[in-house]
Amino acid sequence: MLDLRAPILLPELGERLVREVYKREFRERDAAIHDRDSWKLERRQHFEEQGSPSRDALSRGDWAESLRLMEERREKLLAAVREDERRNSLFHRVRVVEQPPTPYLQWELNSLRQQAQCGMRVRVVDAGLVAPSESGGLLPELVILGGDVLYRVLYTDAGVPNGAIRYTDPDIIGCWESYIRELYRVGEDVRNYFDREVAHLPPPTMKAD
């Protein structure tokens, strides 16, 4: 049975990393993983995604172009899945969703469905499932790489990436990995969720600043 009480994650128990250091360290650690799985928990309903032409097209209001650009990366996704399989290291993602979806989330669910079609492991959980753990605020954005390190990914209030806090304590990592694993276990495959809740929606419209 799912334990809805998420572990505690105190900032002072980790080490603050600026964005450039976090990105570099993440790439290096991720590439070195063999025979261990990784986990990601996404909770925010809006991010200012950077470095994505498809996301930029969404911001311009060009939904058709956004989807076209998204489709162009399919071969890259398939190659990433083959590399994960070669290293026997699978990446699992849990996406918390609220209804109705924000324009960003509608875009991201299209992206996550494509990732799942290419063999990546993505599941969705309703925000109501994690609500008992959010009396003091939303769950953190987390990535656990190979069971060795946990990153709490930080964002500004507007959703712009702002570095991370790194945790290496095995007890902290183990508790959060168990929690995310359980969310993943009870979650719904993003492809099924998309077909039921997203496929029929009209193109999203980003609000002007």
Side-chain angles (χ1 to χ4, degrees), residues 40-47 93-99 102 104-105 108 125-134 137-142 153 155 179 183:
K40 183 171 186 177
L41 173 64
E42 283 189 301
R43 176 61 182 91
R44 289 179 62 107
Q45 304 298 288
H46 177 82
F47 295 105
R93 184 190 302 252
V94 175
R95 205 343 157 174
V96 178
V97 296
E98 298 176 14
Q99 286 291 345
T102 62
Y104 171 85
L105 186 58
E108 189 190 32
V125 297
D126 185 86
L129 191 64
V130 301
S133 295
E134 296 189 325
L138 298 182
L139 287 175
E141 310 293 322
L142 301 177
V153 189
Y155 297 87
Y179 181 73
L183 287 177

Side-chain angles (χ1 to χ4, degrees), residues 17-206:
L17 305 177
V18 299
R19 184 166 181 253
E20 292 73 17
V21 172
Y22 164 62
K23 289 174 61 179
R24 181 176 67 251
E25 182 176 302
F26 184 99
R27 288 193 299 266
E28 292 172 353
R29 285 180 177 268
D30 185 48
I33 297 172
H34 288 79
D35 303 317
R36 295 292 303 274
D37 290 347
S38 297
W39 301 84
K40 183 171 186 177
L41 173 64
E42 283 189 301
R43 176 61 182 91
R44 289 179 62 107
Q45 304 298 288
H46 177 82
F47 295 105
E48 288 298 327
E49 194 105 359
Q50 299 182 337
S52 168
S54 175
R55 176 65 171 84
D56 293 341
L58 170 67
S59 298
R60 297 193 303 269
D62 193 341
W63 183 235
E65 177 68 0
S66 179
L67 295 180
R68 187 191 69 78
L69 290 167
M70 189 181 293
E71 184 60 29
E72 286 186 349
R73 68 174 188 164
R74 188 173 292 270
E75 286 301 319
K76 183 181 292 187
L77 293 175
L78 290 169
V81 169
R82 290 193 294 268
E83 174 61 16
D84 286 349
E85 292 173 346
R86 184 190 68 79
R87 294 187 289 123
N88 192 31
S89 174
L90 304 179
F91 195 94
H92 303 77
R93 184 190 302 252
V94 175
R95 205 343 157 174
V96 178
V97 296
E98 298 176 14
Q99 286 291 345
T102 62
Y104 171 85
L105 186 58
Q106 184 177 341
W107 172 83
E108 189 190 32
L109 287 167
N110 275 270
S111 173
L112 295 177
R113 179 188 64 155
Q114 182 192 47
Q115 292 177 40
Q117 290 172 338
C118 292
M120 296 184 175
R121 287 155 174 77
V122 185
R123 292 189 180 175
V124 169
V125 297
D126 185 86
L129 191 64
V130 301
S133 295
E134 296 189 325
S135 59
L138 298 182
L139 287 175
E141 310 293 322
L142 301 177
V143 182
I144 299 173
L145 293 181
D148 293 328
V149 62
L150 181 154
Y151 295 106
R152 177 172 185 170
V153 189
L154 303 177
Y155 297 87
T156 66
D157 290 342
V160 177
N162 193 29
I165 301 174
R166 181 214 297 132
Y167 298 84
T168 56
D169 185 299
D171 291 336
I172 294 175
I173 296 170
C175 287
W176 277 101
E177 182 169 324
S178 294
Y179 181 73
I180 300 173
R181 279 178 179 270
E182 188 67 2
L183 287 177
Y184 184 88
R185 185 185 69 81
V186 301
E188 180 178 8
D189 187 287
V190 68
R191 291 166 291 187
N192 297 336
Y193 182 87
F194 183 94
D195 290 344
R196 186 181 68 253
E197 301 288 350
V198 182
H200 66 280
L201 296 176
T205 301
M206 300 291 289

